[in-house]
Amino acid sequence: MTSPDIIIAIDGYSSTGKSSFAKLLAKELDFLYLDSGALYRGVTLFAQEQGYITADNVISPELEQALQTLDLHFSSDNSCFIGERCIEKEIRSMKVSSQVSPIATVPYIRSWVDCLLHRFASCGRVVMDGRDIGTTVFPDAQIKIFMTASEQVRARRRYDELLAKGQNPDLEEVKANLKERDYIDSHRETSPLARAEDSFLLDNSDMTLKEEVEWVKGLIRGRFLLYD
Ligand code: DC
């Protein structure tokens, strides 16, 4: 299918499969994929390693200045890098997951990430996933999707993902982390996770990735009157 040059914004709860869906959709449409959560995770890793965040989530104000020198970016295969160093494995760890939501509540960090996203997306033809893409970062995105799935399905997905990455997760800990992140993400003052009024709801508890992609292609066809 040949899609017009649009921005597709995908938001939703943690572990609803946003990234796998967005990645496959981008591949099928030949769009750029941008994982905004990876940027918040990258900032979290940076803050942990450089000592800008304590174990009880106190964030040093010096982080704001330090961000000006942080070179966080993606490679062509969507891996996240700080400078020359691939940080994909580290940013998906429980250690980063447990502190990313507090980091993502900080307004200057959100502005910094939003600037990067705008820069990366300047060429259009982008699928972007996160929590506030359709509401705050790209409120004019032509297609907005809000993803959800049952708590059980989401916890199992994150658990399997961590297992596949060679980690040794505890299902109860994974569930607790998801709940905590949903709460912080939906209740923070700046750009809380919320469904954009003009978004399409996608509950993928019982859907395959392929079905999800076909569903959104149908939306694009309908909206832009494409017939192929
Ligand atoms: O999608 P993810 O689990 O990798 O996101 C990690 C965290 O980053 C998540 O707990 C909330 C935050 N986030 C956000 O606040 N806004 C975004 N656009 C993307 C992620």
Side-chain angles (χ1 to χ4, degrees), residues 32 49 69 93 98 132 196:
L32 179 68
E49 292 185 340
T69 59
S93 67
S98 67
D132 62 341

Side-chain angles (χ1 to χ4, degrees), residues 42-192:
V43 172
T44 306
L45 179 71
F46 174 72
Q48 288 173 337
E49 292 185 340
Q50 302 297 317
Y52 293 119
I53 184 167
T54 64
D56 50 355
N57 297 331
V58 178
I59 299 164
S60 158
E62 286 168 23
L63 176 60
E64 183 167 10
Q65 185 61 31
L67 282 183
Q68 304 316 315
T69 59
L70 175 59
D71 172 19
L72 192 57
H73 58 95
F74 295 105
S75 61
S76 54
D77 69 349
N78 300 315
S79 297
C80 195
F81 278 71
I82 290 182
E84 306 268 287
R85 173 184 164 213
C86 178
I87 55 165
E88 263 309 303
K89 190 159 178 235
E90 292 87 337
I91 61 171
R92 310 292 166 189
S93 67
M94 278 305 283
K95 184 168 181 219
V96 166
S97 295
S98 67
Q99 292 201 297
V100 64
S101 281
I103 282 279
T105 61
V106 181
Y108 69 78
I109 297 178
R110 299 204 70 82
S111 308
W112 187 85
V113 167
D114 290 358
C115 273
L116 266 191
L117 289 171
H118 276 271
R119 202 180 323 142
F120 293 156
S122 55
C123 54
R125 296 182 70 81
V126 178
V127 178
M128 208 176 298
D129 76 324
R131 302 293 188 291
D132 62 341
I133 307 300
T135 49
T136 304
V137 186
F138 283 99
D140 297 331
Q142 291 86 345
I143 297 271
K144 298 181 187 178
I145 296 163
F146 190 84
M147 288 179 69
T148 187
S150 75
E151 231 174 76
Q152 198 59 28
V153 167
R154 293 163 54 209
R156 193 73 220 183
R157 280 183 187 147
R158 180 66 90 186
Y159 177 86
D160 289 344
E161 195 180 294
L162 290 168
L163 263 192
K165 286 186 171 139
Q167 298 182 27
N168 185 21
D170 172 86
L171 187 59
E172 289 313 308
E173 196 186 326
V174 169
K175 269 188 198 163
N177 175 256
L178 283 185
K179 261 197 175 153
E180 190 191 351
R181 283 202 290 143
D182 284 348
Y183 185 85
I184 300 177
D185 295 344
S186 321
H187 290 82
R188 66 175 173 236
E189 237 166 76
T190 313
S191 299

